[in-house]
Amino acid sequence: MEYDFSKLNDREFEALGASVIGKILSKRIETFKAGKDGGVDGRFWIGKKREGIIQCKHYVETPYNSLISKLKSEEAAKVKKLNPEKYIFITSQKLSRHNKQEIQKIFHPYIKREDDIFGKEDLSDFLTKKENQDIVEQNLKLWITSASVLDLIHNNAIKGRSESTIREIEENAHKYAITENHIKGLKLLKEKNVVIMTGEPGIGKTTLADNLALFYIAKGYEFCDIEESISEAESIFREKEKKKILFYCDDFLGSNLYDAISNKKDSHIVKFINRVCRDNSKKIILTSRTNILNKAYSISHKFQNGKIRDNEFLLKVENLSKIDKAQILYNHIYHSNLNKEYIDVIYQYKNYNKIITHRNFNPRIIEFVTDNIRIGSVLPVNYWEYVKNSLDNPQDIWADYFQNQTDDCVRALIFLTVYNNGRISEEELRRSYNTFIKIHTVNLGDQTDKSFESVRKLAAKSLLNRNNISENSYEYVLFNPSIADFVLNTYCNEIELISNVLKSLETETSLRNLDTITIFNKINKQSSKKIQENLFEYFFERKIEEEDWDFLILLSYQDFFNENLNKQIEYFLKTLIEADNPKGNNLCELLSILTDFDPEIEFKDYKFLYNFIEDFLNEDELIDLLNFIDKFDINDKNILSQVENHTELYLEDIIKNNDLDIDFSNYISVNSFPDYDLDISGVESEISSILDSSLEYFNKNVLEKIEFSTSNIISSLDIDDMAISYLETQDYEYDRDMGGSYNSGTSNQDDIDAIFER
């Protein structure tokens, strides 16, 4: 089996070499802190006084001739001075038999036999053996690069977007430095099944979430990247009830599940998280910025009552020790494409200390200043000033690159992606780009090709990532979420620009995102009104003619108290109400407008609602619909019948997804499974109480009007089957927790200097 040793830095390779030799010799191997080693990366004892030495050379990309030259000119003299009884040499290079003979001759007489020389093939052969898997699993990066684990990782993605997310996570894992936060995160996932990573931008929430996810995928969990709707995850949960699944949602609330913030889908999120908490075959990792979770928590009683914060894992820079920071910086330098002249600047005068101890240190800035693409035209002589400015003014981290090193056409792609909530299909991006350069003043600059294909190649891998989500289907996401922060903060007052971006996008996603960024004061209320007016002027007549009701609902919903738009909104609503068989999905927003809009709309009948309530309704939609029915005293038999049916389906879904949270141990006496005694009437009584409680926020007047009762639902349940499922769930065992080795060490200056010793 092949292992990719290039993913390890030199310190990690030395630790691996010590582990391998320790296992072979069944001896304790002494290892020493990083730094000048005098030719010793590990030591063991033969008898009481005879010394054995291990030396590791991580020369993956170095030509063999350069390795031999280094051994002859430097290492041979070191070994002669040490005069060990036994000398073991390890390299990540491939070695032939002739190569080993040449190396043995250099270190004669200290290398006794050729099999005391380990090349890449020898290490791979050793690590492939079943009895040595403990060494592999102690090293997260090595483990996930093994062919079998990589196959498992890539095959365990649930089809679609999850596949591209896994590929992106796996490609970036080599830069990861295991810190104490990694160990804490794994512990929380094991104990609670749920972890919500929170913290300020750039602290490393997504990186930590990615690598915790990678660990569980490698342990056999299927991977589901949740996007835009929790319903996607609920559906997969039902389909794969008995399978191990890890659900992953980066920036939940902030972007992917933005509508929850306005208290429309918060119950969905709470219920799903609690469902995962109770099922040990499922895990869920979410990330959120602290301020966004705080805001959501403050406006959502369901978040408060659901005790969402019990699963919060707050990341802070101050929780990182100096050693953690040093390892993060060293790993980024080691795996960067920086030229030696730039790396020398970081080492000069121990500048790495100034980076590690800087008040604004965070992993995102480190990634930025060690990436040669983003350094652009910065010369080595100016590099330290560039690093220092990035640390001193982190809010401007993208300013120079975005504004001075790109042109209007590349920036157009970024604007379109940002205002489409940070993610857009290639088809939509191409269409909207071609529209934008027609309706917005764009400086085409030189005579180079400004076609979409040409421009998107310039933006890819510097500001955007292009992900393959299915055969011949691609989507674009921001290279880094901080790009959105920069764009939204820098251009928040550019009303014409934002209006033209939204006109070009022409997507419901962009309208919902406009609502969200207005809530978080990325655009002030006055500017938001003006943007809405611009969009009405541009879209209104065409969307009315096309009967694109959902788009018009979201456009009106931005601010349906906008006096300048009253007549148009009123005309739209009357047209919708009087339309022949209108269809749409944005029920909550429509009912909100109809309920609160002034002047009031007169209803002849309510047939316009039929198609809006035809499909499955979630809790929030049902609550809004019942309140609407009560306010306008609706007696339409078709609508009332639909309400009764949807309410039953809603309660049945609670039961099916085990949201009842019944402790069957109170009603079961078990001698030896599957033989048990069950108090069925006691279970039915508790279910009745739970279902009644689930209807707490449902309009009681309407429930009485339709004579709704839970008795039929309860009588149709197979209580015995529910008890068996409960017992089977309790018998599920966790995987053995293996998160990779971590040693926080001390944080004194000698240890930090040793890490950066060259």
Side-chain angles (χ1 to χ4, degrees), residues 297-309:
Y297 202 75
S298 68
I299 66 175
S300 171
H301 66 272
K302 291 171 185 174
F303 271 38
Q304 296 161 18
N305 295 342
K307 299 181 179 178
I308 289 298
R309 299 208 96 133

Side-chain angles (χ1 to χ4, degrees), residues 588-589 591 619-629:
C588 283
E589 292 87 350
L591 295 178
E619 179 182 26
D620 301 290
E621 291 168 331
L622 271 171
I623 290 172
D624 287 353
L625 179 58
L626 266 65
N627 289 336
F628 184 80
I629 289 170

